[in-house]
Amino acid sequence: MSVNQQAHTGPPYGQPQPGYQGYQQPAYGGQSLPGAPQQYGAYNGPMPGYQQPVPAQGYFPSLGFPSKGSPVSLNSDTSSLAPNFIGSLRAPPTSGAPPPASGASHPSGPVAYSQFEHGDVQNGIPASTAPMQRPPASQPFLPGSAPTPVSQISTFQQYGPPPASVQQLRNHMAGMTIGSTAASAPPPAGLGYGVGPSSYPPTTGAPRPPAMPGPPLPGQTVAGPPSSQPNHVSSPPPPSTMAGLHPGPPMSGLHGPPPPTHPPQPGYPMQQNGSFGQMRGPQPNYGGAYPGAPNYGSPPGPPPPPKRLDPDSIPSPQLNELPPQQKPRHRIDPDAIPSPIQVIEDDRNNRGSEPFVTGVRGQVPPLVTTNFLVKDQGNASPRYIRCTSYNIPCTSDMAKQSQVPLAAVIKPLATLPPEETLPYLVDHGESGPVRCNRCKAYMCPFMQFIEGGRRFQCCFCSCVTEVPPHYFQHLDHTGKRVDFYDRPELSLGSYEFLATVDYCKNNKFPIPPAFIFMIDVSYNAVKSGLVRLICEELKSLLDYLPREGNMEESAIRVGFVTYNKVLHFYNVKNSLAQPQMMVVSDVADMFVPLLDGFLVNVNESRTVITSLLDQIPEMFADTRETETVFAPVIQAGLEALKAAECAGKLFIFHTSLPIAEAPGKLKNRDDRKLVNTDKEKTLFQPQTSFYNNLAKDCVAQGCCVDLFLFPNQYLDVATLGVVPYQTGGSIYKYAYFQLETDQYRFLNDLRRDVQKEVGFDAVMRVRTSTGIRATDFFGAFYMSNTTDVEMAGLDCDKTITVEFKHDDKLSEDSGALLQCALLYTSCAGQRRLRIHNLSLNCCTQLADLYRNCETDTLINYLAKYAYRGVLSSPVKTVRDALINQCAQILACYRKNCASPSSAGQLILPECMKLLPVYLNCVLKSDVLQPGPEVTTDDRAYIRQLVTSMDVAETNVFFYPRLLPLTKADVDSDALPAAIRNSEERLSKGDIYLLENGLNIFVWVGVSVQQSLIQNLFGVSSFSQISNALSTLPVLENPFSKKVRSIVDVLQGQRSRYMKLIVVKQEDKLEMLFKHFLVEDKSLTGGASYVDFLCHMHKEIRQLLS
């Protein structure tokens, strides 16, 4: 997409805008702060100041919206635009069908042609018709949203080569018009994109149109019909303006198609609205100019602004002969830049209906947002492994040149949909799995049997190994074993082996794991009702402990501890009439006062357990103890598991900073003044190394920690989170916990956490074929050496991200192989090996690398890389490195893979065209760019959470899903079509739902029909809707049922129960909601999508020059 247009007005990137004074901000996943109105539930993100939308400087509402592409199809560079073109009408609705390629009454913008390779897209119109590409569907037309375009007069002049100096670059950026056609003064020279070297394009008074009602603006297929053109939005060509304009039909509220225009010349795909190709010299194989289209009158524009250098407007010879002409400027049309919604929709339409068969090497899977079935035919399902690229460079030099990180996001115990088969369990008896003698890789479909089947050659290290006699089988005429299809390890990408005693600790088969529930009974926990709530829930939840498929009851034993400054252990042995309590007050030297009776079988000791859970809330009802310990609680659980000689999980429910005298005691070190300084990194680091050592001991025993936090103030998540993080556990945080609004979310999280599949005492190793090796790992785990990822527990939601580097050359013929082997203990105490294999292609051409990348996985990796970077580097350094790496990735593509074209065009690879929008979302996230109201704990919490997210979770976390509820079909099961994350897409007459994996917002416009409000909220007017709702009322009408079913569907897709927040338009909470409209400029100084695209374009051009 060539973007040479001008940036929006606003404060420089990286500087906060004024906030709404005096309103306190709720915290991640919690309730409002003390002093804040309690009905405003908190959320994962800032709630910056609420500002009334005012037209930007230089915006004249009477002048209407920025003009779109003209109804002229330029098929050659020799042509000039229709002399009297001013602006086109909106396109007619096409209800989801791709725009017609020829002969349609679709206005198409002027197209600049050159010879592009497959895989490029002009203006978001996808290029190759290869099966992997994603053609589009156009978006619905909304009548009445488009005021008349107005041409702007400005003098066209011829300029020399692109500028070199910064000032000239600034001038060039000033020439990149992103504004409606309103006059504005030149920008101040020094307005920058933030501090330091990455300065942002200067901005002038370019407007953002007022919020347009309804769905995305019409006629914009952001990815149009497949064609061989690059993704670009070029600077406006200079149409000449003449007198004698024809009066046209009125512009607003057009229903149906615009008046007839000349159809575009057949055979060439149309340009999208709002994109303007460069004028270039004639090119072979294209006809002359296409006759001009009729134009529609409008009053003359405002006086011309001062001239600006526009190095890209190097006119073609034909234009040199013309007198200087008037040149309109156009705001970059957000519909002409790549749309995540369109790409997601196209992929669903193209790849959602067919099963994804994994038999072919190096296939790029459908996007994570597409529902598809997987058929395992030799490579692991993308539910288990996704890669940043499925075609990796053959040499390290090529990898360095492209800067595309080679990484795999692995989710070894991922949950499969019911219609897919779980990995088969293979039992080879006492001899165990067949492995390569040298590199110890496990038998897999890529091993080559030789010498009639008596030996096999390893696909990873090429060593030849004897086939054990019991495993021998003859080969058929193709060299395949005759039992190929009977053995999962020879024909499938994923399978499990039953491990022998050699794979067990101390050469002893493991005992089934135990769960220990450790409840904080300090004043805050008791007073809030939390202790009673947990005890009530556990009575029923213990019936749902995880078990193996056909087992009658779970093999997991349970134990109970309560604590404040001291610890209380409970003997719940089945022979007792009443539970017995033992207190350990010497927290400096923690021991477990009882062995027999602490860990018990639930069914055998049910009456004693129920009695205990009834008594705990009463015992501590009158407590005055406010201080808590924390490290001794973990030590107690660890000692109990050691004494029982088993692995297990601690469920710790904790409320406050552990300041009581004990090991691991912490102090309040929260300091907002460190933000944006070199010491900011200390806020993410633990304040003592004590917890790192404790985590190491826990991992050695297989003691995994899940932590449920209920803070009312700072409690140092960065330090408390160390043990859960390094043991493979989870952290859940409910700030300002209130029983009535938060219990439902907490209980849902607790139920899912207790019931989900977990592997204990896990070790994972990733082997690769010669040429690449695993060099770096990201996730919730511990590493004692460079190859083994150790986790006390690994659940079905956790991912481990692995980066690979070259250590030799690869060959295109043999490709590259990965084998992930996970050794773990199941919840029944069975030692198993889960194996996932994946084969990738290798390439000597950069174009092949760029054609087989997966942007969602790339963003997942980059976010984790950046979030780890903040532990050791200033946040600004991390942000600049991210921008620089992505600019290098795109500059390398531009230089080596795209056809030569003007530097004024930003050309993106087809499968990476969403890289800028998604990267901008990562840069604007609370970890890398916090608003003043995002707490240190919130940032530490999000940093740890994202580090073990899978690709689907990071996708919706960074670019939330926005659904127009009022457009939902109450008679269908389908979700309404998502819209783009921008305020201008919202209509005040509609209700929208936004979800990001942690929260669900329901935004209600001020002009929503009363009947809809009645049907959804059960109140009669907008003003009566309560912000305190944490669930939607259950009402017996189709709209209420539909919306609640949509919420249920979304909740079911996420690993955590999302907090529901109702936001009324123009309410204080709306600023919190707007923080998640990630295509807009953020109040913390984050750039809008359009501005960031211009910034990336500038960075790329600097690299290329």
Side-chain angles (χ1 to χ4, degrees), residues 1 98 209 216-217 248-249 267 325 337 372 400 429 483 486-487 583 695 705 721 778-779 799 832 852 868 1068:
M1 330 167 338
L217 301 175
Q325 299 286 358
I337 56 183
F372 59 98
K400 281 194 191 93
D483 61 356
D486 302 332
R487 290 194 178 271
V583 179
V705 177
F778 304 82
T799 62
R832 295 180 176 184
N852 292 280
R868 185 176 69 184
K1068 287 175 190 168

Side-chain angles (χ1 to χ4, degrees), residues 44 60 193 201 251 260 265 317 493 511 587 753 768 785 848 918 942 951 999 1028 1104:
N44 308 329
F60 304 104
Y193 169 85
M251 289 295 199
Q265 199 152 313
I511 297 170
V587 288
D753 195 56
T768 52
N785 56 35
D848 292 327
Y918 286 164
I942 288 301
V951 180
N999 300 277
L1104 291 174

